[in-house]
């Protein structure tokens, strides 16, 4: 049981899906048919997820997939990485694992983010970055394009640099934190001014 207080939100502001995803009506979800949310994921107010930026061609293509117990903070922008290859401009998919928290106002264009990853507030994650499992990106860090952040590593600065190894317990700590955050995220009944 969490000792931290609940985080209340207006029930009318969020849409809850069958799998427990909570998506703010104030978030911009472009191309939702190309976005997969794994379940119990929270998309905060003013977040922008660009599922409409996809490879050219017919049919649906998964552009951005988020795992379970993820948090996309307020004002975050998530868009797939792109490049010109052999004269053709194309977007490439972004895969985000389970238990990933992305802090407020961060911009993410990574290729892959592993499981149990924490990205701080105000970060810029460049195109085609790969962040391995249990890594942490400190607040206001700029991770240049094509960087590989190793597992259990803390990166900080602009440009991002290795700071220290994280403890082996990082996986359990992050998983516990993300599950508790989701449990603390409770609807507020506007008529009564208290939890529903």
């Amino acid at each position: 049981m969490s000792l931290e207080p609940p985080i209340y939100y207006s029930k009318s502001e969020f849409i809850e899906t069958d799998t427990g995803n909570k998506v703010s009506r104030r978030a911009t979800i472009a191309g939702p048919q190309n976005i997969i949310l794994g379940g119990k994921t929270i998309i905060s107010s003013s977040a922008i997820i660009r599922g409409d930026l996809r490879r050219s061609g017919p049919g649906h293509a998964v552009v951005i997939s988020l795992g379970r117990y993820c948090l996309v903070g307020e004002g975050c922008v998530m868009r797939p990485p792109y490049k010109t290859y052999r004269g053709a401009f194309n977007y490439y998919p972004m895969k985000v694992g389970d238990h990933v928290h992305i802090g407020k106002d961060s911009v993410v264009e990574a290729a892959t983010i592993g499981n149990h990853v924490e990205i701080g507030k105000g970060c810029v994650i460049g195109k085609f970055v790969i962040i391995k499992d249990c890594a942490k990106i400190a607040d206001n860090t700029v991770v240049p394009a094509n960087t590989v952040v190793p597992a259990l590593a803390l990166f900080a600065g602009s440009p991002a640099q290795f700071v220290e190894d994280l403890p082996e317990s990082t996986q359990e700590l992050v998983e516990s934190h993300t599950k508790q955050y989701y449990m603390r995220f409770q609807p507020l009944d506007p008529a009564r001014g208290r939890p529903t």
Side-chain angles (χ1 to χ4, degrees), residues 28 78 106 119 149 151 173 175 181 194:
T28 302
M78 297 186 76
S106 288
I119 296 173
V149 176
L173 292 170
E175 187 163 325
Y181 188 95
R194 59 180 195 245

Side-chain angles (χ1 to χ4, degrees), residues 63-171:
V63 174
I64 297 175
S65 68
L66 287 137
R68 293 170 47 84
Y69 290 104
C70 290
L71 169 70
V72 178
E74 287 184 26
C76 278
V77 177
M78 297 186 76
R79 57 183 176 239
Y82 61 85
K83 68 180 174 184
T84 302
Y85 180 69
R86 293 187 177 169
F89 175 88
N90 251 322
Y91 288 100
Y92 292 81
M94 176 192 299
K95 183 173 186 339
V96 179
D98 298 335
H99 305 284
V100 174
H101 270 203
I102 301 170
K104 183 179 179 189
D105 297 324
S106 288
V107 177
V108 180
E109 292 185 275
T112 308
I113 298 174
N115 299 314
H116 307 94
V117 171
E118 292 179 292
I119 296 173
K121 298 174 187 160
C123 292
V124 176
I125 310 298
K127 293 179 193 69
F128 296 103
V129 165
I130 295 172
I131 301 176
K132 304 277 186 159
D133 292 351
C134 304
K136 182 173 183 172
I137 310 296
D139 291 352
N140 304 310
T141 297
V142 177
V143 182
N146 303 307
T147 301
V148 177
V149 176
L152 291 167
L154 170 62
F155 269 51
S158 176
Q161 294 182 320
F162 173 80
V163 176
E164 66 181 2
D165 288 317
L166 296 171
E168 292 290 328
S169 60
T170 298
Q171 179 175 334

Side-chain angles (χ1 to χ4, degrees), residues 2 12 24 30 39-40 48 60 62 81 97 103 108 114 117 131 141-142 156 190:
S2 174
S12 62
S24 172
K40 298 189 176 176
I48 300 170
H60 294 305
V62 174
V108 180
V117 171
I131 301 176
T141 297
V142 177

